Amino acid sequence: MTLDFIKHNARIIRLTSIFIVALIVFIAPQFLDRYWTFFFGALGITIILATSLNLAIGYTGLVSIVHSGLYGVGAYTVAILVKEFGWSPWIALSMGVIAAAFVGAIISLTTVRVSHLYFAIVTLAFNAIIVEVIRESRDLTGGQIGIFSIPRPALGAEKLDDRAMYYLIWLGVLFSLWSLHNLVDNSRYGRSFRALKSNEPAAIALGINPLGYKMLSFSLSAGMAGFAGVLFAYLNQFISPQLVGLEFGLELFVAVLLGGSGTLLGPILGVVFLASVREFIKDYAQYQQLLFGSVLIATMFLIPKGIWGELKAFYVKQTSKFNPDDINPTISDPADYLDPATIRSLLELDNNQHQIETGKPILEAQGVVKSFGGLQALRGVDLAVNAGTIHGLIGPNGSGKSTLINCLTSSMERNEGSIVYANQNTPRYAYRVAKSGMVRVFQIPHLFGDMTVKENILTGFHGRGNVDPISYIMGLPYARREEAEMQRIADRLLEVAGLQDKAEMQANLLPHGQQRLLEVLRALTVSPSLLILDEPATGLVTREVQALGHLLEKLRDSGITILLIEHNMAFVMSVCDRVTVLEEGEKIAEGTPTEVQHNQRVIAAYLGESVKGIDIEKTMQEAVERYA
């Protein structure tokens, strides 16, 4: 079976594979004794638990060491409610999930602000706390002895036997995988999770709330871990503190990383492999942790993407439409761009609440000061950007341009001064600045490289939807309709930019010029009133720069104000309506391109020499050649 055959028949192969696996799972109990029925039931539970950990680690980048503890929260919750308080096992099942999700939300609320390493350490501490609470709450949990004879759910008057539990568990596996697929592959929430893992500053610049989405991801992951714990309590009918120990947590890590984190099938492969190894060496159980630890280390060094991750990466590389010999690494011809009215319609600019009348200031900064210790990067800078214009911001390296942009977008806190956008003080947090309509594109490409070109575009639409995550998880019709509409607009934008044939290509495989274009398109999906571009022409060839200039003019005519930071003097002078010049943290000039071009202080700032008696035209030409 060739790669081309797989590529063109991927959907049929996928559906056929799912049908065959489901059929095997369904008929397996007819040929299994009680031991193997229990074994494969426990295998399914571990798959659910590994899948929950994969949502945190693989899709959101939250390295959690508390999932075995959350697993225990679900198991102990249902055992206590059913055994001690006489609750219905079916009602208790949902409460076990809710309890684990609640504990996960509390953990994430106090943890997601820290860096990745500290996040892992804090979750390790929370896992130790959960274990200690279970051990010391003897009246409820039985302490070290645990809880015995946990009643199983019943259908009618009959309690579920081992075979019925097997079917319940594997229905849970199918539901977990299906719901995770709906969430991470077909929803704005899942794309936001993946964007935060791939490039958090870029995600924030699109208006994604990092704390909110991380809390959501971790809470959903915790709820799924609790679901696995509930199923185990019913299957085993006995639980003890050993259930939430670090040894089990190590196995989960090995399963997820070995199979391939951030993939749907990877954890399944990892769990099946480890279960097979454990069964094979059950007579040498004392060496189990040594073996699993060795496998984890080997995986990180030899196949860092895991088994399925490496296979998927190989498939993408081999079947990608990217071919250096075939692709013209330039932006499509300016004539291909849509007219301003269509751009307004696609980007829903008429619905933007932060539009300002053309010619009036949309952004005003007064007396902005920013210091880094003893170094004063900005010294009382004033800046006014009028709506409906392209405003240039130039200056030599180290003049404070990027620092000013960071202050304008709340990526960096200023020491003094005021910043007003659309007649309101700018929000404190950067993601809220983006949601208010002030969107930036970074100086260095900040694409979500492991996501496709189309997924990069779709990520910017996260703020347009209003469907809740549970509806996406359940695949409800109105959630699918919202997703379909976002897909339609994304396809149209890619068609506008001449990138439609590269929609399914990984973004980091695009040529540099098209990567810069993709970043601009992605920023536009937030429906900005003010678009801030930090050196977008860097690394572009002449034709690409010309096409970018035409695009900026189209966007201005569509009603989007643009603040352009750029070293390419010829480009700035050709597209900007007004230009501000910084030097050593101070504004030294402002005016039309012609006025700035003939300003002797500007020439001196760029050339670093006295301007007395020099030919302004000749000197400016030298500056353009030097910095273009």
Side-chain angles (χ1 to χ4, degrees):
M1 186 180 296
T2 65
L3 287 173
D4 286 339
F5 178 84
I6 295 175
K7 178 180 177 180
H8 292 98
N9 298 276
R11 181 176 175 81
I12 296 174
I13 294 173
R14 183 165 56 248
L15 293 176
T16 303
S17 301
I18 292 173
F19 175 77
I20 293 174
V21 171
L23 182 62
I24 293 173
V25 169
F26 179 78
I27 66 175
Q30 311 302 321
F31 305 97
L32 300 175
D33 59 22
R34 185 176 182 182
Y35 172 81
W36 287 107
T37 300
F38 183 93
F39 175 86
F40 284 109
L43 180 70
I45 291 172
T46 309
I47 288 174
I48 296 174
L49 184 55
T51 298
S52 73
L53 181 61
N54 188 36
L55 174 57
I57 295 179
Y59 290 106
T60 321
L62 301 174
V63 182
S64 167
I65 311 181
V66 73
H67 267 62
S68 58
L70 297 169
Y71 178 69
V73 169
Y76 271 93
T77 297
V78 74
I80 292 170
L81 291 177
V82 174
K83 185 76 183 294
E84 302 297 330
F85 296 99
W87 283 43
S88 162
W90 293 112
I91 298 176
L93 187 153
S94 61
M95 293 306 299
V97 174
I98 292 172
F102 177 76
V103 173
I106 297 299
I107 293 173
S108 62
L109 181 63
T110 59
T111 308
V112 294
R113 295 177 183 272
V114 300
S115 63
H116 297 294
L117 175 60
Y118 288 107
F119 182 89
I121 293 174
V122 174
T123 56
L124 174 62
F126 271 106
N127 196 81
I129 292 172
I130 292 173
V131 173
E132 196 62 25
V133 169
I134 291 173
R135 285 175 177 167
E136 296 302 321
S137 304
R138 297 181 182 88
D139 293 339
L140 282 177
T141 65
Q144 288 284 14
I145 297 175
I147 302 177
F148 292 83
S149 304
I150 302 170
R152 287 178 174 176
L155 290 177
E158 296 292 329
K159 297 286 185 181
L160 299 184
D161 59 13
D162 289 347
R163 183 174 296 180
M165 280 301 305
Y166 169 94
Y167 285 122
L168 176 63
I169 289 167
W170 280 95
L171 283 175
V173 172
L174 293 176
F175 173 76
S176 299
L177 295 175
W178 175 71
S179 61
L180 184 63
H181 169 68
N182 288 339
L183 178 67
V184 300
D185 293 328
N186 297 305
S187 84
R188 58 195 177 93
Y189 297 99
R191 286 188 292 268
S192 296
F193 298 158
R194 295 159 63 194
L196 286 169
K197 179 191 176 186
S198 178
N199 194 316
E200 186 168 322
I204 293 173
L206 295 176
I208 295 174
N209 180 355
L211 300 183
Y213 277 96
K214 286 179 181 179
M215 284 184 61
L216 174 62
S217 172
F218 198 80
S219 299
L220 292 173
S221 175
M224 190 181 296
F227 178 52
V230 168
L231 293 176
F232 181 80
Y234 286 150
L235 175 67
N236 199 46
Q237 297 186 281
F238 163 68
I239 54 176
S240 68
Q242 286 71 29
L243 180 69
V244 298
L246 288 180
E247 295 83 359
F248 188 39
L250 172 63
E251 292 183 29
L252 291 178
F253 260 96
V254 175
V256 172
L257 297 181
L258 175 63
S261 65
T263 65
L264 194 63
L265 298 181
I268 300 176
L269 290 180
V271 168
V272 171
F273 174 82
L274 292 188
S276 302
V277 170
R278 189 190 303 111
E279 184 65 22
F280 183 74
I281 66 168
K282 60 184 178 182
D283 294 333
Y284 306 94
Q286 65 269 31
Y287 301 112
Q288 179 174 293
Q289 298 306 317
L290 174 62
L291 176 61
F292 287 171
S294 301
V295 170
L296 177 60
I297 294 173
T299 299
M300 296 176 67
F301 278 101
L302 300 178
I303 46 172
K305 295 182 180 179
I307 298 172
W308 190 256
E310 295 290 349
L311 290 174
K312 185 178 179 180
F314 175 77
Y315 172 79
V316 169
K317 183 177 180 179
Q318 295 298 319
T319 61
S320 174
K321 295 178 181 179
F322 175 70
N323 186 329
D325 297 326
D326 297 337
I327 288 182
N328 179 16
T330 60
I331 299 176
S332 57
D333 191 273
D336 295 337
Y337 293 123
L338 291 176
D339 60 277
T342 307
I343 292 176
R344 293 188 64 82
S345 175
L346 271 179
L347 301 181
E348 298 184 356
L349 295 179
D350 293 324
N351 298 330
N352 197 313
Q353 301 300 313
H354 299 277
Q355 294 285 353
I356 297 294
E357 182 180 343
T358 299
K360 293 186 177 181
I362 189 173
L363 176 67
E364 292 182 278
Q366 294 184 347
V368 177
V369 175
K370 178 61 184 177
S371 299
F372 300 95
L375 174 64
Q376 197 169 36
L378 297 176
R379 305 178 181 183
V381 174
D382 297 333
L383 177 68
V385 178
N386 292 331
T389 66
I390 301 177
H391 193 113
L393 180 63
I394 64 175
N397 287 329
S399 59
K401 302 185 299 298
S402 295
T403 302
L404 177 59
I405 296 307
N406 287 333
C407 291
L408 293 176
T409 57
S410 295
S411 299
M412 184 180 292
E413 188 175 354
R414 61 189 180 275
N415 299 115
E416 297 179 24
S418 64
I419 300 174
V420 176
Y421 165 70
N423 298 323
Q424 295 180 350
N425 291 328
T426 54
R428 177 181 177 183
Y429 299 108
Y431 80 91
R432 290 183 178 174
V433 172
K435 290 180 70 173
S436 71
M438 188 195 307
V439 183
R440 71 179 296 184
V441 174
F442 293 87
Q443 179 179 353
I444 300 173
H446 275 55
L447 293 174
F448 309 125
D450 56 350
M451 297 169 66
T452 67
V453 170
K454 186 175 180 180
E455 286 172 336
N456 269 264
I457 294 292
L458 287 168
T459 302
F461 288 135
H462 76 96
R464 291 197 185 189
N466 52 22
V467 177
D468 60 275
I470 302 301
S471 298
Y472 273 107
I473 288 173
M474 301 300 296
L476 297 181
Y478 53 88
R480 294 199 299 268
R481 285 195 295 270
E482 181 178 271
E483 175 69 8
E485 177 62 14
M486 293 180 184
Q487 296 272 352
R488 183 191 68 81
I489 299 175
D491 287 334
R492 190 72 180 102
L493 282 174
L494 291 174
E495 180 184 350
V496 168
L499 294 174
Q500 67 271 29
D501 61 326
K502 305 172 187 69
E504 301 306 320
M505 181 189 299
Q506 280 192 191
N508 58 4
L509 295 178
L510 286 175
H512 177 75
Q514 292 179 336
Q515 288 190 23
R516 298 302 285 172
L517 173 61
L518 177 60
E519 280 197 281
V520 174
L521 289 176
R522 188 181 64 186
L524 294 177
T525 61
V526 189
S527 302
S529 297
L530 173 61
L531 181 62
I532 301 176
L533 303 176
D534 196 347
E535 300 190 23
T538 301
L540 303 187
V541 299
T542 301
R543 183 173 180 270
E544 291 174 330
V545 173
Q546 293 172 346
L548 177 62
H550 281 80
L551 174 60
L552 298 187
E553 291 170 351
K554 291 277 188 175
L555 295 177
R556 177 192 57 193
D557 296 341
S558 302
I560 298 176
T561 306
I562 298 171
L563 177 58
L564 176 66
I565 301 89
E566 186 55 65
H567 275 303
N568 189 325
M569 296 291 290
F571 178 57
V572 169
M573 298 305 169
S574 65
V575 300
C576 290
D577 302 298
R578 196 166 182 82
V579 179
T580 299
V581 187
L582 297 183
E583 182 188 16
E584 296 183 355
E586 296 181 342
K587 183 171 74 172
I588 63 171
E590 185 172 80
T592 66
T594 301
E595 292 170 345
V596 169
Q597 189 171 337
H598 291 78
N599 187 294
Q600 293 186 341
R601 288 196 66 187
V602 174
I603 297 173
Y606 272 89
L607 295 180
E609 61 184 41
S610 172
V611 299
K612 184 178 180 179
I614 66 172
D615 186 317
I616 292 179
E617 296 294 338
K618 179 181 178 181
T619 307
M620 197 63 213
Q621 180 61 35
E622 291 175 352
V624 169
E625 292 175 356
R626 179 177 300 184
Y627 293 100

